[in-house]
Amino acid sequence: MTAHGSDRPLPLSVDRTSPVPLYFQLAQQLEAAVEQGRLAPGALLGNEIDLAARLGLSRPTVRQAIQSLVDKGLMVRRRGVGTQVVHSKVRRPLELSSLYDDLEAAGQRPATSVLRNTTEPATAEVAAALGVAEGSEVHLVERLRSAHGEPMALLRNHLPPGLLPLLTEELEATGLYRLMRASGVTLHSARQTVGARAADARQARVLAEPVGAPLLTMERTTYDDTGRVVEFGSHVYRAQRYAFEFQLLVRA
């Protein structure tokens, strides 16, 4: 097991005087190496027996540490190959940024498949969010966002009609917010709600999850610098691959 871009062994150690279980100490170090890119996607962990001998641990302890990362979706056991790093979990800060930009910044190689790019009558919910009459035509863009070839999120965005041209090939090449900015839309602020739900049959099929799997949800209403609503997003994310990060401050 070597650090990414180096032939040197990954620095690992355990503290036997600590009350923290030895398997958990090892699991934390391996997870940090994945998150920081020192263990890149596709990297092999090598032989559990060798790792146990190197750290002076029992093989069941090493196996338990690795299994905890398999359970988190960071690693996978492949028959005939061994234990392999799959990816790091995407941790997205709650700020006015796009998933495309956040994935790219995390080195996750985002890819997009446009499932729908059309107009449709606004439902009561969409009409209220966009400030248009119920039943009036609005633009709908639905996309599947992937990273490293694996589904990450199902994104639904409604936009006021005529806000900007939305070509399918451009939506598959870059993020929606980049296209909006390139068209002269100045994003200013947003109101956002984060929640959770169980995957329905369609969401499960598109996201390669079992029906009923936990999904994170996010609804966002975004405003430009004039106070105009420019999009209403309703997105679902695979919970095992995604997390939102909050920064909390003490109120004076």
Side-chain angles (χ1 to χ4, degrees), residues 3-212:
H4 181 49
S6 171
D7 292 330
R8 292 174 299 174
L10 193 68
L12 298 169
S13 63
V14 294
D15 181 1
R16 297 180 183 278
T17 66
S18 170
V20 178
L22 297 176
Y23 89 89
F24 191 71
Q25 292 183 45
L26 177 57
Q28 283 187 311
Q29 292 175 70
L30 292 173
E31 182 172 357
V34 174
E35 298 288 355
Q36 296 164 11
R38 290 182 288 129
L39 279 177
L44 292 172
L45 288 194
N47 191 296
E48 290 181 3
I49 297 177
D50 292 341
L51 181 57
R54 175 181 156 198
L55 296 175
L57 299 173
S58 69
R59 189 176 180 186
T61 297
V62 172
R63 185 182 300 115
Q64 186 178 7
I66 293 173
Q67 185 61 45
S68 70
L69 301 185
V70 172
D71 293 341
K72 286 185 175 183
L74 298 179
M75 298 180 182
V76 65
R77 297 184 187 274
R78 302 190 189 280
R79 186 180 299 274
V81 176
T83 304
Q84 191 170 27
V85 176
V86 181
H87 40 54
S88 59
K89 190 169 186 177
V90 175
R91 303 182 186 277
R92 185 177 185 183
L94 283 179
E95 58 186 36
L96 189 50
S97 62
S98 72
L99 175 58
Y100 188 95
D101 290 341
D102 290 336
L103 288 172
E104 195 170 67
Q108 294 283 329
R109 298 201 304 272
T112 305
S113 297
V114 174
L115 306 180
R116 298 178 67 190
N117 182 14
T118 186
T119 58
E120 67 174 19
T123 64
E125 180 186 27
V126 171
L130 294 181
V132 300
E134 184 177 352
S136 62
E137 291 292 304
V138 294
H139 206 115
L140 166 65
V141 175
E142 185 178 47
R143 296 159 294 158
L144 174 64
R145 182 64 43 78
S146 303
H148 294 295
E150 184 178 357
M152 290 282 296
L154 181 60
L155 314 175
R156 287 173 57 89
N157 295 82
H158 286 90
L159 297 90
L163 180 68
L164 74 159
L166 291 170
L167 303 178
T168 295
E169 55 267 29
E170 292 182 343
L171 288 165
E172 291 188 337
T174 189
L176 177 60
Y177 279 8
R178 289 188 184 181
L179 293 176
M180 293 173 75
R181 292 187 181 100
S183 294
V185 177
T186 302
L187 304 176
H188 179 266
S189 60
R191 187 174 66 250
Q192 181 166 288
T193 302
V194 175
R197 71 168 61 127
D200 62 26
R202 181 172 184 267
Q203 292 166 344
R205 175 174 52 82
V206 172
L207 293 173
E209 290 279 5
V211 173

